[in-house]
Amino acid sequence: MFAAERRQLILEMVRANGAVSLRELARVVQTSEVTVRRDVRALESEGLLDRRHGGAVLPGGFSRDPGYPQKTHLATAEKSAIADLAADLVEEGDAIVVGAGTTTQELARRLARVPGLTVVTNSLLVAQALAHANRVEVVMTGGTLRGSNYALVGSGAEQSLAGLRVTKAFISGSGLTADRGLSTANMLSASVDRALVQAANEVIVLADHTKLGADSMFQTVATEAITRLVTDERTLLDDLTSREQHALADCGVQISVASLGLAPDAGHQQPARRAAPPPSGLAAGGPLPGQRRPAPHGALPPPARLAERIR
């Protein structure tokens, strides 16, 4: 395939999906990531797309939200590994909320084996994944169906979450940065995700390397309200995503990195945790703004004692 043909195909993929990883681009155009990276730079110089950490997005600074069919083909191995690691954070008898998304759908498939679990969700895909789990109770929000991602949104969904209290929230989004936190391209989805987060003691973000460092229009969760990030090891293999991960850790976010079998020594490259100073007026170790103090049972270890995990 000639360079002009490759670049046209790359441009079409980015326009169709909003954001595409270098790995996925290389697979489709059947060349190396080094060559694709060079093509992406050339297209960026023409103003046709923007480079992001480990991928490319539509120009203009914000990534848009691709539909469900497109998302299912993006970073599939990474989402699976992230879901495996995130499932280990759920304990028997937990009550949790799970937001919409293809990564949270993967998580739900693994939660079917956790006995005594209660899952509150606005995602039809998450509910479907748990529909035949005999020992898991699924509670769905009300709301209006958003067909592009099979999620219930709007005031009905938000009102059904009022007064709810659970141990953990598992959510995803379109982008995650240390400066702005988690963001998404749809206002209604962002509003429901904020309601999910408000119901939880701990906020756990599931984001693969294509989302780290990307930004989108509507903020979902500020960085200081995120308890933990579960991501994949490709974030450790790129300087830009690695720096973003360091910045999140410096803000007090606990980092869990799922192994893809790419770098056996990747665990030594994880960002060193430095405990962030407590907000003014709060004692060290107290709850972050917008969060309730975690219950003693099942609580995550404090940042200074967290052992970074790679599976």
Side-chain angles (χ1 to χ4, degrees), residues 185-206:
N186 182 270
M187 180 174 64
L188 293 176
S189 295
S191 187
V192 174
D193 281 351
R194 283 193 291 268
L196 290 169
V197 165
Q198 287 297 318
N201 290 336
E202 302 169 18
V203 179
I204 301 167
V205 172
L206 312 182

Side-chain angles (χ1 to χ4, degrees), residues 42-78:
L43 291 168
E44 184 184 43
S45 69
E46 298 176 30
L48 298 174
L49 51 74
D50 286 344
R51 281 187 298 158
R52 284 293 180 268
H53 310 330
V57 301
L58 291 173
F62 293 118
S63 60
R64 73 171 178 83
D65 192 22
Y68 175 75
Q70 291 80 28
K71 286 183 177 180
T72 57
H73 300 295
L74 297 175
T76 53
E78 290 86 343

Side-chain angles (χ1 to χ4, degrees), residues 16-50:
N17 298 298
V20 188
S21 70
L22 291 178
R23 179 189 180 207
E24 183 67 13
L25 290 172
R27 185 186 68 79
V28 172
V29 302
Q30 297 182 339
T31 188
S32 68
E33 289 189 23
V34 173
T35 301
V36 167
R37 188 176 288 108
R38 187 163 54 243
D39 290 336
V40 168
R41 287 197 188 102
L43 291 168
E44 184 184 43
S45 69
E46 298 176 30
L48 298 174
L49 51 74
D50 286 344

Side-chain angles (χ1 to χ4, degrees), residues 69-95:
Q70 291 80 28
K71 286 183 177 180
T72 57
H73 300 295
L74 297 175
T76 53
E78 290 86 343
K79 291 173 182 177
S80 180
I82 288 169
D84 285 339
L85 190 52
D88 289 342
L89 301 174
V90 180
E91 300 178 0
E92 180 177 345
D94 267 350

Side-chain angles (χ1 to χ4, degrees), residues 194 197-201 203 224-225 282 287-293:
R194 283 193 291 268
V197 165
Q198 287 297 318
N201 290 336
V203 179
E224 60 267 21
L282 291 180
L288 296 171
Q291 292 182 283
R292 297 173 63 242
R293 183 182 297 275

Side-chain angles (χ1 to χ4, degrees), residues 4 34 49-50 78 82 95 108 134 136 138 145 156 159 172 176 191 216 223 240 272 278 300 306 309:
V34 173
L49 51 74
D50 286 344
E78 290 86 343
I82 288 169
N134 294 329
V136 178
V138 180
L145 178 63
Q159 290 171 10
S172 188
L176 176 65
S191 187
S216 200
T223 305
L240 295 176
L300 295 173
L306 176 69
R309 301 181 54 201

